Amino acid sequence: MTMQAARCPTDDLSLTNCVVANERDLKSGQHVMIRTTPTHKYVFTVKTHQSVVSGTIAFSLPQRKWAGLALNQDVQVATYTFDTSRQYVGTMTLEVDFLQKKNADSNPYDTDKMSIEFIQFFNSQAFCVGQQFVFSFCEKLFLLVIKDVEAMDPSILRGEQSSKKIDIGLLHGNSQVIFEKAESSTINLIGKSKTRGARQSIINPDWNFERMGIGGLDKEFSDIFRRAFASRVFPPDLVEQMGGKHVKGILLFGPPGCGKTLMARQIGKMLNAREPKVVNGPEILNKYVGESEANIRKLFADAEDEQKRLGVNSGLHIIIFDEIDAICKQRGSMAGSTGVHDTVVNQLLSKIDGVEQLNNILVIGMTNRPDLIDEALLRPGRLEVKMEIGLPDESGRVQILNIHTARMRQSNMLGTDVDIKELAVETKNYSGAELEGLVRAAQSTAMNRHIKASTKVEVDTEKAQELQVSRSDFWASLNNDIKPAFGTNQEDYSSYILNGIVKWSNAVTDILENGELLVQQTKNSERTPLVTVLLEGPPHCGKTALAAKIAEDSEFPFIKICSPDKMIGFSEIAKCQAIKKIFDDAYKSQLSCVLVDDIERLLDFVPIGPRFSNSVLQALLVLLKKTPPRGRKLLILGTTSRKDVMQEMGMLDSFSTTIHIPNISRGEHLVEALELLGGFQEDERTQIAQQVKGKGVWLGIKKLQMLIEMSLQVRERVRKRVRESERE
């Protein structure tokens, strides 16, 4: 339609940057394109006012200056529809100056606060490059000129740089507004929004995992972005149209030292949000009645206040709870307590997702014990994104080691013989903290070489200038200093195979080959993530040694022995908890082997009575059948000398297969064992062979080793007496 240009009816309307029309001609909130000539067109947002005469459209003075309009000039007016996939403002750069030079002052103006008020005031309005308008801030009037507009692009989620320039854009709550001082202006701008900080929406695209000191968590970060931040990048009205809601909480759990706290802290740096509030769980608790709940309310006070003022345009507030299990235990689980923990949980639940919902918060909780946390806190709408921060894989370990050796590499203090990939292969089941400790230990070993051993401790300064951390330093630290908490401790099982495996017959070779087949099944089969094997046989036949050998040859990153000698004096409950912890630790590794040694001793079984621990029996029955988590594989090797007892207790059926370990029962096998063990001369072995030829023997290999050692001691005593008698 053709309309006449008119003067804006009120000063307040001139500050809105909207054209004003009669409600019979146009509707408030719609966007129109104004054509002054066939080649000159401008887009504005409409407001209505009853004082505007129908058929006219009112412009403020800055708008008329920009568009070159005269009063009563005829203009062509048409409705304009934005392409929401291409024309939402991601970043808008504005040139700012005082509207009137006589009102200029030297006071600092915070561009961050200016940006918040700008987005709140001009939300859902159309803006064009080159446009001039007036903005009221801190009771001062400023003249703004739009210098540059970039479109919002979701590729920022993937950390990609994007700058799609557009001439016309629609401002929304997640737009980034940057203020720049106009040339020859005396205005004093402060804050982050005064420069082009390479930021767009709430995601800061300038983040880099390795520069932030994070390694091995790429997948976890991408999953958190997909779940927690994708909805916050898009304009609020688009999210509303989908009926979507923002994720308000994330729970990070996993073994100690894997980077939970580090990840939570760095999330704040990656987001264009308020500085995160980091709180240790126990700090919330207070001995005075009601103070613990008040501490929770204080954490959310800033977010509540901003949401009341700015609504959907409020910035994101991040609250990080370290050791959240300290304050959010299951309600009613602490018998005889004052109920403080319960009321703290209630207060936190109501703040995150209560009657008055906050939409501008993100709560990040961290714990090693997710099983202790109240279930109500883990439902969707609260801490709904549950992310396990597990032990890093090989590529993750390469990243972590590169991060911690970067400074040495830059300073040329890392030996050329150090192979990071080789170290990553050898550090299976090491957490991020343990890898950092390994680097520190290697540095200490290298520095120790340059300390003079004299009457006083002093550094050899000449050689210290050439200090380099070599491969041997890392290997010394790997073997002696740093052991993984969830890895394989070779000392545990090496004592069981101290004298090696004596292959006194083909039966022993067959047992080891069967064990190798079961190891390969555990590694390669997708259908059987859990393989359980029972090695049974008479006492002293070498069951534990063979099981330890199978475990060692498997080269699984996690090998643990569940042995009764480590549980002497434990109550039944303590024993169950110790066994469960071994299995829980095994589930954290991709490939694990658990050796449950001497099961009847674990069960406290004695034939007189008979007596056994039913609690431990039930715990073992459950754990032997429990399938590991997805992506994890577990081999369980059990040993027992009482197969009949296992049968009566119903445990035999819990094992996938049973392997019988025999005693030495034939003379030729005994001779073969004596030859392999050594200690006897050939003529002595011949004499023994003649004695046992055609006779049956019944002797365990462990017992045989003991008898050989005893006989050698007797022989040494006889020789000593002979030498003494000869001297006489």
Side-chain angles (χ1 to χ4, degrees):
M1 68 180 96
T2 303
M3 302 180 78
Q4 280 191 340
R7 184 179 282 109
C8 193
T10 68
D11 289 342
D12 288 341
L13 284 172
S14 359
L15 295 175
T16 61
N17 189 40
C18 293
V19 294
V20 189
N22 192 291
E23 60 185 9
R24 283 178 291 183
D25 296 330
L26 296 167
K27 293 180 181 178
S28 184
Q30 75 178 111
H31 312 291
V32 293
M33 178 177 281
I34 308 292
R35 287 181 183 271
T36 55
T37 68
T39 56
H40 291 81
K41 53 190 179 183
Y42 310 90
V43 177
F44 294 98
T45 305
V46 177
K47 279 191 181 295
T48 57
H49 196 271
Q50 68 271 16
S51 64
V52 178
V53 179
S54 180
T56 64
I57 184 165
F59 297 87
S60 65
L61 181 60
Q63 288 172 335
R64 295 202 304 276
K65 276 187 178 179
W66 172 51
L69 282 168
L71 292 175
N72 301 320
Q73 178 181 337
D74 287 342
V75 293
Q76 296 295 320
V77 181
T79 57
Y80 184 85
T81 304
F82 278 92
D83 182 350
T84 55
S85 64
R86 297 180 182 178
Q87 289 186 290
Y88 272 116
V89 174
T91 308
M92 186 161 69
T93 307
L94 300 166
E95 195 176 78
V96 59
D97 195 5
F98 294 105
L99 181 64
Q100 296 176 325
K101 298 296 182 184
K102 64 180 181 180
N103 292 331
D105 58 37
S106 58
N107 295 332
Y109 291 94
D110 191 337
T111 53
D112 295 328
K113 292 180 180 177
M114 196 182 285
S115 174
I116 290 169
E117 286 203 24
F118 183 92
I119 291 171
Q120 180 193 17
F121 193 73
F122 295 113
N123 191 33
S124 301
Q125 282 196 29
F127 289 94
C128 305
V129 174
Q131 185 173 349
Q132 299 177 13
F133 55 100
V134 179
F135 174 48
S136 176
F137 177 72
C138 293
E139 300 181 354
K140 288 274 187 183
L141 295 178
F142 297 92
L143 179 66
L144 303 181
V145 180
I146 298 176
K147 304 298 291 180
D148 186 59
V149 179
E150 290 180 8
M152 189 275 293
D153 187 356
S155 66
I156 202 73
L157 270 178
R158 299 188 293 272
E160 298 173 5
Q161 297 284 357
S162 61
S163 55
K164 294 183 180 177
K165 307 277 186 183
I166 52 174
D167 294 325
I168 302 168
L170 187 65
L171 192 74
H172 63 87
N174 282 335
S175 297
Q176 178 72 19
V177 180
I178 297 165
F179 294 94
E180 292 181 351
K181 186 169 76 169
E183 287 184 25
S184 73
S185 174
T186 58
I187 190 169
N188 182 14
L189 298 178
I190 61 171
K192 296 177 184 175
S193 299
K194 69 175 180 176
T195 56
R196 191 167 191 78
R199 294 191 173 194
Q200 179 180 12
S201 190
I202 67 159
I203 305 292
N204 178 1
D206 202 27
W207 50 264
N208 177 288
F209 289 130
E210 293 200 11
R211 194 162 61 245
M212 288 183 171
I214 301 173
L217 296 174
D218 297 29
K219 181 182 180 299
E220 288 81 356
F221 263 107
S222 62
D223 287 347
I224 287 175
F225 281 152
R226 178 177 58 82
R227 291 292 311 280
F229 303 127
S231 62
R232 296 184 187 274
V233 170
F234 284 89
D237 54 339
L238 267 183
V239 178
E240 271 186 37
Q241 289 172 22
M242 293 173 66
K245 289 186 178 179
H246 299 314
V247 166
K248 296 178 185 175
I250 302 171
L251 180 69
L252 305 177
F253 65 94
C258 285
K260 299 183 295 297
T261 306
L262 179 63
M263 176 186 258
R265 285 204 191 99
Q266 301 300 351
I267 281 175
K269 294 181 182 178
M270 276 182 272
L271 301 180
N272 182 15
R274 307 290 180 276
E275 189 70 23
K277 295 179 181 177
V278 182
V279 187
N280 289 322
E283 291 176 1
I284 294 292
L285 302 176
N286 194 298
K287 66 179 180 179
Y288 295 108
V289 175
E291 282 299 310
S292 300
E293 297 89 319
N295 289 337
I296 294 285
R297 289 194 292 273
K298 285 174 190 172
L299 292 173
F300 291 86
D302 293 342
E304 285 179 331
D305 179 59
E306 191 168 315
Q307 181 155 305
K308 285 176 185 174
R309 288 190 296 107
L310 303 180
V312 295
N313 298 316
S314 169
L316 180 63
H317 292 254
I318 300 174
I319 302 168
I320 298 170
F321 286 96
D322 202 1
E323 305 301 339
I324 194 171
D325 55 283
I327 58 170
C328 292
K329 288 186 172 67
Q330 293 276 356
R331 286 171 289 182
S333 63
M334 300 183 69
S337 71
T338 58
V340 172
H341 282 86
D342 292 1
T343 54
V344 169
V345 175
N346 294 338
Q347 183 69 77
L348 188 59
L349 292 175
S350 64
K351 283 297 177 188
I352 297 176
D353 189 28
V355 177
E356 295 182 5
Q357 293 187 2
L358 292 172
N359 209 30
N360 60 343
I361 58 163
L362 179 65
V363 177
I364 303 176
M366 292 167 289
T367 180
N368 303 326
R369 297 292 305 277
D371 53 303
L372 296 181
I373 296 176
D374 193 273
E375 291 176 358
L377 197 64
L378 302 179
R379 73 154 174 80
R382 289 169 182 160
L383 301 183
E384 64 177 276
V385 178
K386 291 174 273 295
M387 184 68 60
E388 181 178 4
I389 310 300
L391 298 168
D393 58 12
E394 189 175 319
S395 61
R397 294 195 294 275
V398 169
Q399 287 183 13
I400 294 168
L401 288 166
N402 277 327
I403 288 165
H404 293 302
T405 56
R407 293 287 293 275
M408 289 192 289
R409 199 177 295 107
Q410 290 168 8
S411 308
N412 199 28
M413 297 178 79
L414 188 68
T416 54
D417 59 344
V418 176
D419 186 349
I420 296 296
K421 289 184 178 178
E422 181 189 24
L423 280 173
V425 171
E426 294 298 324
T427 50
K428 294 173 183 173
N429 277 24
Y430 275 66
S431 67
E434 287 161 347
L435 290 170
E436 184 182 2
L438 175 67
V439 175
R440 280 201 304 269
Q443 291 167 343
S444 300
T445 306
M447 286 188 282
N448 195 55
R449 287 201 305 271
H450 299 284
I451 295 176
K452 291 179 182 177
S454 59
T455 53
K456 60 180 181 178
V457 176
E458 56 182 344
V459 178
D460 188 344
T461 51
E462 292 181 7
K463 290 185 178 178
Q465 297 299 323
E466 302 173 0
L467 174 67
Q468 278 206 330
V469 183
S470 65
R471 180 179 181 272
S472 60
D473 297 324
F474 277 99
W475 282 97
S477 303
L478 198 63
N479 295 325
N480 303 320
D481 298 329
I482 307 296
K483 298 292 182 184
F486 297 94
T488 300
N489 189 353
Q490 194 172 0
E491 294 169 4
D492 279 354
Y493 58 80
S494 59
S495 60
Y496 293 112
I497 45 179
L498 194 63
N499 300 313
I501 299 298
V502 182
K503 298 180 181 178
W504 49 266
S505 81
N506 291 334
V508 179
T509 307
D510 292 344
I511 291 165
L512 291 174
E513 287 177 356
N514 290 336
E516 174 61 22
L517 286 173
L518 293 165
V519 167
Q520 293 304 321
Q521 180 185 345
T522 310
K523 282 182 180 178
N524 304 324
S525 174
E526 296 299 326
R527 295 184 180 181
T528 54
L530 174 67
V531 176
T532 54
V533 190
L534 179 66
L535 281 72
E536 59 84 18
H540 309 301
C541 66
K543 300 181 293 297
T544 306
L546 286 167
K549 181 63 175 173
I550 292 169
E552 183 185 43
D553 291 347
S554 71
E555 296 184 347
F556 281 6
F558 182 97
I559 301 172
K560 272 285 191 286
I561 295 180
C562 177
S563 177
D565 63 357
K566 296 175 183 175
M567 301 182 194
I568 296 172
F570 280 25
S571 66
E572 289 190 10
I573 294 173
K575 204 177 273 191
C576 291
Q577 289 173 341
I579 294 169
K580 185 177 182 297
K581 185 179 186 306
I582 290 172
F583 278 82
D584 286 343
D585 290 348
Y587 297 144
K588 291 168 185 171
S589 177
Q590 291 182 335
L591 275 174
S592 306
C593 177
V594 175
L595 201 167
V596 186
D597 189 30
D598 215 353
I599 296 175
E600 64 270 19
R601 292 285 72 78
L602 279 173
L603 296 175
D604 297 335
F605 172 79
V606 286
I608 303 170
R611 188 214 177 275
F612 71 95
S613 169
N614 189 49
S615 300
V616 178
L617 172 63
Q618 298 304 324
L620 281 172
L621 287 173
V622 170
L623 292 169
L624 285 169
K625 293 180 180 178
K626 183 182 177 183
T627 307
R630 189 177 182 84
R632 310 285 200 268
K633 295 182 177 182
L634 176 62
L635 171 65
I636 301 174
L637 301 170
T639 68
T640 181
S641 301
R642 295 297 301 267
K643 182 181 177 183
D644 55 329
V645 173
M646 298 296 103
Q647 181 71 54
E648 289 177 12
M649 291 179 176
M651 185 174 276
L652 207 58
D653 296 333
S654 300
F655 287 93
S656 311
T657 185
T658 304
I659 298 176
H660 177 68
I661 313 297
N663 264 346
I664 298 173
S665 57
R666 293 166 60 182
E668 56 266 32
H669 290 160
L670 177 61
V671 174
E672 181 70 20
L674 290 173
E675 186 175 347
L676 291 169
L677 286 168
F680 287 101
Q681 301 297 328
E682 188 174 347
D683 57 333
E684 292 173 326
R685 289 199 302 273
T686 305
Q687 188 178 355
I688 294 171
Q690 290 173 351
Q691 293 289 329
V692 297
K693 186 176 182 181
K695 295 181 181 179
V697 293
W698 187 252
L699 191 63
I701 188 69
K702 192 174 177 184
K703 189 82 170 178
L704 178 61
Q705 288 178 335
M706 183 61 67
L707 291 172
I708 290 171
E709 290 302 314
M710 290 172 66
S711 66
L712 291 174
Q713 296 304 315
V714 171
R715 177 195 290 172
E716 187 60 33
R717 184 182 295 178
V718 170
R719 284 177 179 171
K720 187 177 179 182
R721 286 179 178 173
V722 168
R723 285 196 297 270
E724 288 174 354
S725 63
E726 285 176 350
R727 287 195 202 103
E728 291 174 359

